[in-house]
Amino acid sequence: MSGAVRARRPASPPHYPPTSTYTPQPRFPPRSENHLDADAKRAAASQGLGPARIHSLSTKGGDVAGMNITSGEWKLLFGVVLVACAVRMFRISYPDSVVFDEVHFGKFASKYIKTQYFVDVHPPLAKLLITLAGFIFGYDGQFDFKEIAKPYTDVPYVAMRLLPATLGVLTIPLSYLTLRLLDCRATTALLASLFLTFENGLVTQSRHILLDSPLVFFTALTTFFWVGFSNVDRRLPFSQEWWVWLMLSGLSLGAVVSCKWVGLFTIATVGLSTLMQLWTLLGDLRVTPRMWMKHFIARALCLIVVPILFYMLMFQIHFAILENSGDGDGFMSSEFQHTLGGKGMQDTYADVAVGSTITIRHLNTQGGYLHSHAHNYPTGSKQQQITLYPHRDSNNDWLVTNASSDASAVDIDYSSPSTPFTLLPHNSRIKLRHISTSKHLHSHDFRPPVSEVDFQNEVSAYGMAHFAGDANDDWYVEIVEGHRGRRDKYSKERVRTLRSVVRFRHALTGCYLFSHKVKLPDWAYEQQEVTCNKNAVKDNSLWYVETSWHPNLPEKAEKVNYVLPGFLGKFWELQKVMWTTNAGLTDRHSFDSRPDAWPRLRRGINFWVKDHRQIYLIGNPMVWWLSSFAVAAYAGVVGILVLRAKRGFRDFDNTKVMKYTTLCGFLFTGWALHYFPFYLMARQLFLHHYFPALYFAVLLLASVFDLVTSTLRPRVRLQIAAVLICLAIWNFSHLAPLAYGTPWTRLNTWDFSCSDFYDNYAQYAKVGNTTPLNKPVAAAVSTVGGEGRAPIVVQQPVVPQVLQQEKEDTTAVGVPGKAEPGRDIFGEVKVDVASSAPVMQQQPPHREEGERVEKVVSSVVVDGAGGVGAPGGGGGQEAIVGKHVKEGTGEVGGGDVKTEKVEVKSEGKSEGEVKEEVKTETKEEGKAYKEPAGPLGEAEAEAEKVAQELYPDAAAAAAAAAV
């Protein structure tokens, strides 16, 4: 061995005490029972799980659904809830009058309490909750909620408003807990919860008897339960906790869709997430096909069957409460109506024969009974009106006579035993005589009063007692189908009550008796139009006989009645009515908006205006625009990452990128599915339709904040969040007067009525010091015209000046118009105007006494109590000539009216002088003025007119003798 190399001496054995024994130590620590190796951690990270969630997978039990919240956080969350309570319930009793759609939803609560059936386009859950609050606090349902700004009397409106306010408060902690379940930091969850707390739009909507606050609450609740289930599904599938979270998700899905059909978008969000879960499980080779089927069946049961059953249960409660007839009957089928109290019908004879007294109902539109009354059309033939009337009435009764018999058969006695009993087979030729007025159902070549098209003829009642009629009274009865409601072997051979569906074909023109959802004007009491259509849509020309009675039928003859539907039949029919009506809400509203304006917060909704205060639905601009920016930023970043992945970059292998891509992707999907479907809707839309999407956008904004500040120290992150929260609070406080209806000064922004506010706060102290005047002010006159129609002058009632000023204070001034509720197609208010154009109430400008003013005159109405031209009535007023104005033609009472400029000077003139002045002006144009016919002497005038039509020679001779 070389001297340069030193040999290493073997290590000395360890020294142990003589009493101890040697125990070898393991080289590595023992593996825990739930230890995750590197592959398992990589798989968890690929699903977007952060280190905290991976750690929760490797431990037994843990916090609920992996949500690690400290006791300090619970205290912080409790403080946030208190702040939310203060914000949403501050001055909730103000205003003490009806606000916006409280007109509808408060009225529905009254209907529930009075058990009167109604129809609404929304499912019943939210309305039932509001009704429950009112019922508990003693509401008796007698307040009518007729119009905005109507003061509440004997209504626990505060309790009813507290229900949506409480649900709005509970939405705040749900947002916090949802973000914590998504593995976001406490600072991030605090930021989102406070953004939602101080969001002006959500605050305004939750302070009134409206449905959107319950909708947003159940949307948030569904999101919370689903995120919790997803966390448990990753570590403890099919455990008891797993089933609880899944079942709660299904129940909350049922609740959200039972508030509004917008909840279907929430179902779509959860459904898409479920498909992604099942797709991932399908690619996991450790999951057997049998286990995959168990996952599929469990989700289908809890996320499809349970929501449907919950939804149907709400309608079962709805039907159980609304057991009596109400104003919603007319929208339902006859079978449905007869399940309601007060709508039952006694059994009626099954056979229909010549001499039977029958009532005829329209099958498709639910418009009601074929009806006539002793009032004539103001245009066309000016014969007696034929309409559809939705209620039972003696004017619905018709006598079937044989049109093939001799004219003398008009006086035949059908009760005589010698009179043959002739049934009505297919293609029978008959006449229908209106029993109350002895006129026949008639059609001729005149255009209908509303549907003025060449292929439709007017249908009228024509004739008189003991008059056999003419060929225009003849109709062929065609049996289209039988077995309606119940199988009947004779229903296709001859007309059978309730069982045969028939069409009535006019004998001379070949047109079919027809009706559609077109209302006649006020002169026909807004009943549904009936015409004779040569190109009739089959469904709208179908009729059936509801009741039949014949004097020669024995008491024991076969009788029939409606086959009443069960719950499923009523449920399905109501869904179809709701869907059809919802799609038909296409009329414009003063404050409606389209989806492209919502993320930019372009306009809001005027809820209420009075005493220079206003409630206007508008969002918090900072929260709104930041959330929209976060949505756009996420979409842009993901697009860039996808393009980079296409070029070979491996960004998605990064654990952090995968976590936030998955987290934000779920929230972005929720936003998109609650927003983009509105572009497909042609119906009336408002800003509040964006609120569910806004909830997801705010959570997405918080998640983006969590990503951007993930590399900062906690103190710096908290400081940035504090600055953002302070800015949000400042924006909220600046627009808070619009949420609470408190005094404010003018701000020329958005489209709320700035002119309704004073210039400074000192002027609010002077409100209520107006000195009343003893002299009444002349009636205000508003003109409805333009767009090619003849202008229509609508006279307003005369009110004292103080009341007139108060009325002005309840109406928004300017282009947007006054606050008005959303349209309730099931409870339309009759308007005494022949035009369907919206009426802008305008106060006539102040003029000096005696000033002569040029006015455009289309018609004249004189109010006997201080109306046009009354002494003391003020300046010149528009005059109204005639009663009925026809759109597009300028016709008044069947004649032509020329628009003319008339100088009306009302100073010191009596009512008669003004009237004579208008008569003179009209005669100068070559038109003789004719006094409008009143209701007195109507029967005599009608008889004289019929006699002239039937016996023209005698009428001419009488006229010559009179001369």
Side-chain angles (χ1 to χ4, degrees), residues 275-567:
L275 293 177
M276 292 297 296
Q277 289 180 358
L278 293 174
W279 183 254
T280 302
L281 289 172
L282 188 63
D284 190 346
L285 299 181
R286 294 171 296 180
V287 178
T288 64
R290 181 185 180 88
M291 181 61 68
W292 189 89
M293 283 302 301
K294 289 178 64 177
H295 278 279
F296 175 82
I297 294 174
R299 286 167 169 80
L301 176 66
C302 294
L303 301 180
I304 298 178
V305 177
V306 170
I308 290 176
L309 292 178
F310 186 96
Y311 181 77
M312 295 175 70
L313 176 63
M314 294 301 104
F315 279 93
Q316 178 66 56
I317 298 173
H318 176 79
F319 292 142
I321 295 175
L322 303 179
E323 59 183 2
N324 294 312
S325 175
D327 55 15
D329 299 359
F331 300 94
M332 313 308 296
S333 68
S334 303
E335 291 84 351
F336 190 109
Q337 293 181 31
H338 282 78
T339 64
L340 303 173
K343 279 287 187 176
M345 185 182 76
Q346 294 181 350
D347 293 347
T348 184
Y349 289 119
D351 283 316
V352 180
V354 175
S356 292
T357 299
I358 63 174
T359 57
I360 304 172
R361 293 204 68 156
H362 195 236
L363 182 64
N364 191 40
T365 63
Q366 311 302 339
Y369 299 88
L370 186 66
H371 177 90
S372 186
H373 43 233
H375 296 276
N376 297 344
Y377 291 116
T379 59
S381 68
K382 298 186 180 180
Q383 295 175 3
Q384 186 168 299
Q385 300 169 11
I386 298 292
T387 64
L388 281 192
Y389 183 61
H391 307 291
R392 293 177 185 171
D393 188 85
S394 60
N395 282 326
N396 304 333
D397 295 337
W398 300 85
L399 178 67
V400 181
T401 62
N402 191 349
S404 302
S405 63
D406 188 79
S408 62
V410 67
D411 295 321
I412 191 170
D413 184 10
Y414 291 104
S415 62
S416 173
S418 60
T419 303
F421 185 79
T422 307
L423 298 173
L424 294 184
H426 173 71
N427 220 27
S428 298
R429 183 166 179 165
I430 65 170
K431 295 180 188 289
L432 292 174
R433 185 191 306 165
H434 191 241
I435 292 180
S436 298
T437 60
S438 299
K439 298 178 185 293
H440 290 108
L441 186 70
H442 183 89
S443 184
H444 41 212
D445 193 19
F446 282 89
R447 301 287 76 77
V450 176
S451 302
E452 295 184 277
V453 290
D454 291 338
F455 57 84
Q456 294 208 58
N457 291 341
E458 177 191 88
V459 175
S460 63
Y462 171 74
M464 59 190 303
H466 311 296
F467 173 62
D470 59 25
N472 279 327
D473 301 338
D474 295 356
W475 302 83
Y476 286 100
V477 182
E478 300 178 356
I479 300 177
V480 179
E481 62 181 77
H483 313 306
R484 180 181 177 273
R486 180 170 293 175
R487 188 166 186 83
D488 187 335
K489 63 180 180 179
Y490 302 112
S491 58
K492 287 190 175 181
E493 301 174 3
R494 61 178 187 263
V495 178
R496 298 271 286 179
T497 306
L498 296 175
R499 302 293 180 254
S500 300
V501 178
V502 302
R503 301 176 82 186
F504 295 96
R505 176 167 52 87
H506 194 245
L508 295 187
T509 63
C511 57
Y512 285 93
L513 191 65
F514 175 87
S515 185
H516 50 169
K517 291 185 177 180
V518 172
K519 296 290 185 69
L520 293 169
D522 290 345
W523 46 258
Y525 307 100
E526 297 188 356
Q527 295 173 13
Q528 192 164 307
E529 183 185 45
V530 176
T531 66
C532 195
N533 196 325
K534 299 174 184 177
N535 300 324
V537 176
K538 182 178 179 181
D539 290 344
N540 285 343
S541 62
L542 298 180
W543 306 78
Y544 68 94
V545 176
E546 182 181 79
T547 62
S548 174
W549 179 85
H550 195 284
N552 284 345
L553 279 174
E555 185 64 27
K556 294 183 179 181
E558 182 185 2
K559 294 184 178 181
V560 294
N561 208 327
Y562 282 105
V563 179
L564 301 183
F567 166 72

Side-chain angles (χ1 to χ4, degrees), residues 605-623:
I605 309 172
N606 188 3
F607 273 15
W608 178 88
V609 178
K610 189 176 182 180
D611 298 334
H612 297 279
R613 292 169 172 83
Q614 185 175 10
I615 295 178
Y616 185 92
L617 181 72
I618 195 70
N620 186 317
M622 176 187 165
V623 175

Side-chain angles (χ1 to χ4, degrees), residues 712-765:
L712 301 178
R713 290 180 300 170
R715 181 182 296 273
V716 176
R717 185 186 308 113
L718 184 60
Q719 291 172 348
I720 295 174
V723 171
L724 294 175
I725 292 170
C726 290
L727 291 175
I729 294 175
W730 182 86
N731 278 267
F732 168 80
S733 61
H734 182 64
L735 297 176
L738 294 177
Y740 299 125
T742 53
W744 204 33
T745 52
R746 298 184 181 182
L747 175 69
N748 295 318
T749 313
W750 287 287
D751 61 353
F752 48 80
S753 182
C754 292
S755 58
D756 280 324
F757 295 100
Y758 286 123
D759 293 320
N760 56 72
Y761 290 102
Q763 292 177 270
Y764 282 94

Side-chain angles (χ1 to χ4, degrees), residues 29 95 149 195 238 242 259 324 426 560 563 568 578 582 602 656-657 661 669 672 802 811 831 892 894:
F195 273 0
F238 297 103
W242 185 89
C259 289
N324 294 312
H426 173 71
V560 294
V563 179
L568 291 179
M578 292 166 59
N582 205 356
R602 294 298 300 163
K656 185 176 181 180
V657 171
T661 300
T669 302
V802 175
T811 305
V831 182
V892 180

Side-chain angles (χ1 to χ4, degrees), residues 14-95:
H15 175 73
Y16 298 101
T19 57
S20 64
T21 59
Y22 171 72
T23 303
Q25 298 293 325
R27 184 174 182 181
F28 300 103
R31 181 172 178 172
S32 63
E33 182 179 352
N34 294 318
H35 173 74
L36 295 180
D37 56 17
D39 292 335
K41 289 184 177 181
R42 187 177 297 108
S46 67
Q47 299 179 12
L49 301 181
R53 196 63 70 242
I54 294 175
H55 174 71
S56 68
L57 289 174
S58 63
T59 60
K60 278 189 175 183
D63 292 339
V64 177
M67 180 172 53
N68 301 307
I69 295 184
T70 64
S71 60
E73 281 189 73
W74 287 114
K75 296 176 183 178
L76 177 65
L77 184 57
F78 181 74
V80 172
V81 172
L82 291 180
V83 173
C85 287
V87 169
R88 277 161 173 72
M89 298 183 184
F90 172 69
R91 300 183 77 230
I92 197 170
S93 61
Y94 184 84

Side-chain angles (χ1 to χ4, degrees), residues 24 64 88 97 106 113 177 204 213 305 482 515 566 634 676 728 824-825 866 886 900 921 925 945 955:
V64 177
R88 277 161 173 72
S97 57
I113 291 176
L177 297 176
T204 305
S213 183
V305 177
S515 185
Y634 169 79
F676 288 115
D824 177 18
I825 197 170
K886 192 177 190 180
E900 57 189 52
E921 301 269 293
E925 293 295 328
K945 182 172 65 176

Side-chain angles (χ1 to χ4, degrees), residues 105 108 112 118 120-128 211 254-264 311 314-315 318 571 574-575 578 582:
F105 304 124
F108 294 151
Y112 273 125
F118 68 89
D120 182 34
V121 295
H122 303 302
L125 176 57
K127 299 190 289 286
L128 286 171
L211 306 187
V256 69
V257 77
S258 296
C259 289
K260 277 189 172 184
W261 277 354
V262 175
L264 291 171
Y311 181 77
M314 294 301 104
F315 279 93
H318 176 79
F571 170 79
L574 181 55
Q575 303 309 302
M578 292 166 59
N582 205 356

